[in-house]
Short mmCIF file of all heavy atoms in Angstrom, two decimals:
data_model
loop_
_atom_site.label_atom_id
_atom_site.label_comp_id
_atom_site.label_asym_id
_atom_site.label_seq_id
_atom_site.Cartn_x
_atom_site.Cartn_y
_atom_site.Cartn_z
N SER A 239 6.72 11.08 6.64
CA SER A 239 7.15 11.85 7.80
C SER A 239 6.24 11.50 8.97
O SER A 239 5.10 11.10 8.78
CB SER A 239 7.06 13.35 7.50
OG SER A 239 5.71 13.72 7.25
N GLY A 240 6.78 11.62 10.17
CA GLY A 240 5.96 11.28 11.33
C GLY A 240 6.44 10.03 12.01
O GLY A 240 7.22 9.24 11.45
N ARG A 241 5.97 9.82 13.21
CA ARG A 241 6.48 8.74 14.05
C ARG A 241 5.73 7.43 13.90
O ARG A 241 6.15 6.42 14.47
CB ARG A 241 6.44 9.17 15.52
CG ARG A 241 7.31 10.37 15.84
CD ARG A 241 7.27 10.66 17.33
NE ARG A 241 5.90 10.96 17.75
CZ ARG A 241 5.54 11.05 19.02
NH1 ARG A 241 6.41 10.81 19.97
NH2 ARG A 241 4.29 11.34 19.33
N THR A 242 4.64 7.40 13.17
CA THR A 242 3.80 6.21 13.15
C THR A 242 3.96 5.39 11.88
O THR A 242 3.11 4.61 11.53
CB THR A 242 2.32 6.59 13.30
OG1 THR A 242 1.95 7.47 12.23
CG2 THR A 242 2.09 7.25 14.63
N PHE A 243 5.05 5.57 11.19
CA PHE A 243 5.26 4.85 9.94
C PHE A 243 5.52 3.37 10.18
O PHE A 243 4.92 2.51 9.55
CB PHE A 243 6.42 5.47 9.16
CG PHE A 243 6.80 4.70 7.94
CD1 PHE A 243 6.10 4.87 6.76
CD2 PHE A 243 7.88 3.82 7.96
CE1 PHE A 243 6.45 4.15 5.61
CE2 PHE A 243 8.23 3.11 6.82
CZ PHE A 243 7.52 3.28 5.65
N SER A 244 6.44 3.06 11.07
CA SER A 244 6.94 1.69 11.18
C SER A 244 5.95 0.72 11.80
O SER A 244 6.20 -0.48 11.80
CB SER A 244 8.26 1.67 11.98
OG SER A 244 8.03 2.18 13.28
N ASN A 245 4.83 1.19 12.33
CA ASN A 245 3.86 0.27 12.93
C ASN A 245 2.65 0.02 12.03
O ASN A 245 1.66 -0.55 12.47
CB ASN A 245 3.40 0.78 14.29
CG ASN A 245 2.55 2.03 14.20
OD1 ASN A 245 2.40 2.61 13.13
ND2 ASN A 245 1.98 2.45 15.31
N ALA A 246 2.75 0.45 10.77
CA ALA A 246 1.59 0.33 9.89
C ALA A 246 1.97 -0.24 8.54
O ALA A 246 3.06 0.01 8.02
CB ALA A 246 0.95 1.70 9.68
N GLY A 247 1.05 -1.02 7.99
CA GLY A 247 1.23 -1.47 6.62
C GLY A 247 1.14 -0.30 5.65
O GLY A 247 0.60 0.75 5.99
N MET A 248 1.69 -0.51 4.48
CA MET A 248 1.66 0.52 3.44
C MET A 248 1.18 -0.11 2.14
O MET A 248 1.41 -1.30 1.88
CB MET A 248 3.06 1.11 3.25
CG MET A 248 3.62 1.81 4.48
SD MET A 248 2.71 3.30 4.92
CE MET A 248 3.10 4.34 3.50
N GLY A 249 0.57 0.70 1.33
CA GLY A 249 0.06 0.18 0.07
C GLY A 249 0.26 1.15 -1.07
O GLY A 249 0.36 2.36 -0.88
N TRP A 250 0.36 0.58 -2.25
CA TRP A 250 0.39 1.37 -3.49
C TRP A 250 -0.91 1.13 -4.23
O TRP A 250 -1.34 -0.04 -4.39
CB TRP A 250 1.57 0.98 -4.36
CG TRP A 250 2.89 1.49 -3.91
CD1 TRP A 250 3.82 0.82 -3.17
CD2 TRP A 250 3.44 2.80 -4.17
NE1 TRP A 250 4.92 1.62 -2.95
CE2 TRP A 250 4.71 2.83 -3.56
CE3 TRP A 250 2.99 3.92 -4.86
CZ2 TRP A 250 5.54 3.95 -3.61
CZ3 TRP A 250 3.80 5.03 -4.91
CH2 TRP A 250 5.06 5.05 -4.30
N PHE A 251 -1.51 2.21 -4.70
CA PHE A 251 -2.70 2.16 -5.51
C PHE A 251 -2.45 2.97 -6.78
O PHE A 251 -1.50 3.75 -6.84
CB PHE A 251 -3.90 2.76 -4.75
CG PHE A 251 -4.43 1.89 -3.65
CD1 PHE A 251 -3.70 1.68 -2.49
CD2 PHE A 251 -5.66 1.27 -3.76
CE1 PHE A 251 -4.20 0.87 -1.46
CE2 PHE A 251 -6.17 0.47 -2.75
CZ PHE A 251 -5.42 0.27 -1.60
N ARG A 252 -3.31 2.80 -7.76
CA ARG A 252 -3.18 3.60 -8.98
C ARG A 252 -4.56 3.96 -9.51
O ARG A 252 -5.53 3.26 -9.26
CB ARG A 252 -2.36 2.87 -10.03
CG ARG A 252 -3.02 1.61 -10.60
CD ARG A 252 -2.05 0.87 -11.50
NE ARG A 252 -2.64 -0.35 -12.08
CZ ARG A 252 -1.96 -1.24 -12.79
NH1 ARG A 252 -0.67 -1.07 -13.02
NH2 ARG A 252 -2.60 -2.30 -13.27
N GLN A 253 -4.58 5.05 -10.24
CA GLN A 253 -5.83 5.50 -10.84
C GLN A 253 -5.56 6.01 -12.24
O GLN A 253 -4.80 6.97 -12.43
CB GLN A 253 -6.48 6.61 -9.99
CG GLN A 253 -7.85 6.99 -10.46
CD GLN A 253 -8.60 7.82 -9.44
OE1 GLN A 253 -8.02 8.39 -8.52
NE2 GLN A 253 -9.93 7.88 -9.56
N ALA A 254 -6.17 5.34 -13.20
CA ALA A 254 -6.08 5.75 -14.59
C ALA A 254 -7.24 6.69 -14.91
O ALA A 254 -8.27 6.66 -14.23
CB ALA A 254 -6.12 4.52 -15.49
N PRO A 255 -7.11 7.50 -15.94
CA PRO A 255 -8.19 8.42 -16.31
C PRO A 255 -9.50 7.69 -16.54
O PRO A 255 -9.56 6.69 -17.24
CB PRO A 255 -7.67 9.07 -17.61
CG PRO A 255 -6.20 8.98 -17.50
CD PRO A 255 -5.92 7.69 -16.81
N GLY A 256 -10.55 8.18 -15.90
CA GLY A 256 -11.86 7.60 -16.07
C GLY A 256 -12.10 6.32 -15.31
O GLY A 256 -13.16 5.70 -15.46
N LYS A 257 -11.13 5.90 -14.52
CA LYS A 257 -11.27 4.65 -13.77
C LYS A 257 -11.15 4.92 -12.27
O LYS A 257 -10.65 5.95 -11.84
CB LYS A 257 -10.21 3.65 -14.20
CG LYS A 257 -10.35 3.19 -15.65
CD LYS A 257 -9.38 2.07 -15.96
CE LYS A 257 -9.57 1.56 -17.37
NZ LYS A 257 -8.64 0.44 -17.69
N GLU A 258 -11.62 3.96 -11.49
CA GLU A 258 -11.52 4.07 -10.06
C GLU A 258 -10.10 3.72 -9.59
O GLU A 258 -9.36 3.00 -10.27
CB GLU A 258 -12.53 3.15 -9.37
CG GLU A 258 -13.98 3.54 -9.62
CD GLU A 258 -14.96 2.71 -8.83
OE1 GLU A 258 -14.53 1.72 -8.19
OE2 GLU A 258 -16.15 3.03 -8.84
N ARG A 259 -9.76 4.21 -8.42
CA ARG A 259 -8.47 3.87 -7.84
C ARG A 259 -8.46 2.38 -7.53
O ARG A 259 -9.42 1.84 -6.98
CB ARG A 259 -8.24 4.69 -6.57
CG ARG A 259 -6.86 4.55 -5.99
CD ARG A 259 -6.65 5.50 -4.81
NE ARG A 259 -6.78 6.89 -5.20
CZ ARG A 259 -6.45 7.91 -4.42
NH1 ARG A 259 -5.98 7.69 -3.20
NH2 ARG A 259 -6.61 9.15 -4.83
N GLU A 260 -7.36 1.71 -7.87
CA GLU A 260 -7.26 0.28 -7.65
C GLU A 260 -6.00 -0.08 -6.88
O GLU A 260 -4.96 0.58 -7.02
CB GLU A 260 -7.29 -0.49 -8.98
CG GLU A 260 -6.12 -0.23 -9.88
CD GLU A 260 -6.12 -1.12 -11.12
OE1 GLU A 260 -7.03 -1.95 -11.27
OE2 GLU A 260 -5.18 -1.00 -11.93
N PHE A 261 -6.12 -1.15 -6.13
CA PHE A 261 -4.99 -1.67 -5.36
C PHE A 261 -3.93 -2.23 -6.30
O PHE A 261 -4.25 -2.93 -7.27
CB PHE A 261 -5.48 -2.75 -4.40
CG PHE A 261 -4.42 -3.48 -3.66
CD1 PHE A 261 -3.81 -2.92 -2.56
CD2 PHE A 261 -4.00 -4.74 -4.09
CE1 PHE A 261 -2.82 -3.60 -1.86
CE2 PHE A 261 -3.02 -5.42 -3.40
CZ PHE A 261 -2.42 -4.86 -2.29
N VAL A 262 -2.68 -1.96 -5.98
CA VAL A 262 -1.56 -2.49 -6.76
C VAL A 262 -0.73 -3.47 -5.92
O VAL A 262 -0.50 -4.61 -6.31
CB VAL A 262 -0.65 -1.35 -7.28
CG1 VAL A 262 0.58 -1.93 -7.98
CG2 VAL A 262 -1.42 -0.43 -8.20
N ALA A 263 -0.28 -3.00 -4.75
CA ALA A 263 0.57 -3.82 -3.90
C ALA A 263 0.53 -3.30 -2.48
O ALA A 263 0.32 -2.11 -2.26
CB ALA A 263 2.01 -3.82 -4.41
N GLY A 264 0.73 -4.21 -1.53
CA GLY A 264 0.76 -3.82 -0.14
C GLY A 264 1.81 -4.59 0.62
O GLY A 264 2.23 -5.68 0.21
N ILE A 265 2.24 -4.01 1.72
CA ILE A 265 3.26 -4.64 2.56
C ILE A 265 2.88 -4.39 4.01
O ILE A 265 2.40 -3.31 4.36
CB ILE A 265 4.66 -4.08 2.22
CG1 ILE A 265 5.76 -4.86 2.93
CG2 ILE A 265 4.75 -2.58 2.52
CD1 ILE A 265 7.16 -4.55 2.36
N ASN A 266 3.08 -5.40 4.85
CA ASN A 266 2.67 -5.23 6.23
C ASN A 266 3.70 -4.39 6.99
O ASN A 266 4.72 -3.98 6.45
CB ASN A 266 2.42 -6.57 6.91
CG ASN A 266 3.69 -7.28 7.28
OD1 ASN A 266 4.69 -7.20 6.56
ND2 ASN A 266 3.68 -7.96 8.41
N TRP A 267 3.43 -4.16 8.28
CA TRP A 267 4.20 -3.17 9.02
C TRP A 267 5.68 -3.50 9.14
O TRP A 267 6.51 -2.58 9.18
CB TRP A 267 3.59 -2.99 10.43
CG TRP A 267 3.65 -4.22 11.28
CD1 TRP A 267 2.77 -5.26 11.30
CD2 TRP A 267 4.66 -4.53 12.26
NE1 TRP A 267 3.17 -6.20 12.21
CE2 TRP A 267 4.32 -5.78 12.82
CE3 TRP A 267 5.80 -3.87 12.71
CZ2 TRP A 267 5.09 -6.38 13.81
CZ3 TRP A 267 6.56 -4.46 13.70
CH2 TRP A 267 6.21 -5.71 14.22
N ASN A 268 6.04 -4.78 9.19
CA ASN A 268 7.45 -5.12 9.36
C ASN A 268 8.09 -5.63 8.07
O ASN A 268 9.24 -6.06 8.08
CB ASN A 268 7.64 -6.13 10.48
CG ASN A 268 7.02 -7.48 10.16
OD1 ASN A 268 6.48 -7.70 9.08
ND2 ASN A 268 7.11 -8.40 11.11
N GLY A 269 7.35 -5.61 6.99
CA GLY A 269 7.91 -6.04 5.71
C GLY A 269 7.89 -7.54 5.48
O GLY A 269 8.37 -8.01 4.45
N GLY A 270 7.32 -8.28 6.41
CA GLY A 270 7.33 -9.72 6.30
C GLY A 270 6.27 -10.30 5.37
O GLY A 270 6.37 -11.46 4.96
N LEU A 271 5.28 -9.51 5.05
CA LEU A 271 4.20 -9.97 4.18
C LEU A 271 3.98 -8.96 3.06
O LEU A 271 4.01 -7.75 3.29
CB LEU A 271 2.89 -10.10 4.97
CG LEU A 271 2.80 -11.20 6.03
CD1 LEU A 271 1.49 -11.06 6.79
CD2 LEU A 271 2.90 -12.57 5.40
N THR A 272 3.77 -9.48 1.87
CA THR A 272 3.42 -8.64 0.74
C THR A 272 2.24 -9.26 0.00
O THR A 272 1.98 -10.47 0.11
CB THR A 272 4.58 -8.46 -0.24
OG1 THR A 272 5.00 -9.76 -0.70
CG2 THR A 272 5.76 -7.77 0.41
N TYR A 273 1.55 -8.42 -0.75
CA TYR A 273 0.40 -8.89 -1.52
C TYR A 273 0.27 -8.03 -2.75
O TYR A 273 0.48 -6.81 -2.68
CB TYR A 273 -0.88 -8.81 -0.67
CG TYR A 273 -2.11 -9.34 -1.36
CD1 TYR A 273 -2.24 -10.70 -1.65
CD2 TYR A 273 -3.14 -8.49 -1.71
CE1 TYR A 273 -3.37 -11.18 -2.29
CE2 TYR A 273 -4.28 -8.96 -2.34
CZ TYR A 273 -4.39 -10.30 -2.62
OH TYR A 273 -5.51 -10.78 -3.25
N TYR A 274 -0.06 -8.67 -3.89
CA TYR A 274 -0.09 -7.96 -5.16
C TYR A 274 -1.41 -8.20 -5.90
O TYR A 274 -2.02 -9.27 -5.80
CB TYR A 274 1.06 -8.43 -6.06
CG TYR A 274 2.42 -8.17 -5.49
CD1 TYR A 274 3.07 -9.12 -4.70
CD2 TYR A 274 3.07 -6.97 -5.72
CE1 TYR A 274 4.31 -8.88 -4.16
CE2 TYR A 274 4.33 -6.71 -5.19
CZ TYR A 274 4.95 -7.67 -4.41
OH TYR A 274 6.19 -7.42 -3.88
#
């Protein structure tokens, strides 16, 4: 929600019990770049 979504990259992270949060996947603001 909010007006500033489309100008920012987004990322997915995960955290398993007893472990630190880790990067899973990211996408840049316009969807043209991804990283896993």
Side-chain angles (χ1 to χ4, degrees):
S239 63
R241 298 183 300 170
T242 59
F243 174 82
S244 61
N245 69 352
M248 298 293 294
W250 285 97
F251 287 70
R252 67 187 181 187
Q253 187 166 18
K257 295 187 177 181
E258 294 186 352
R259 188 174 298 191
E260 65 174 0
F261 173 79
V262 175
I265 188 166
N266 76 325
W267 64 275
N268 66 2
L271 292 174
T272 58
Y273 182 68
Y274 298 92

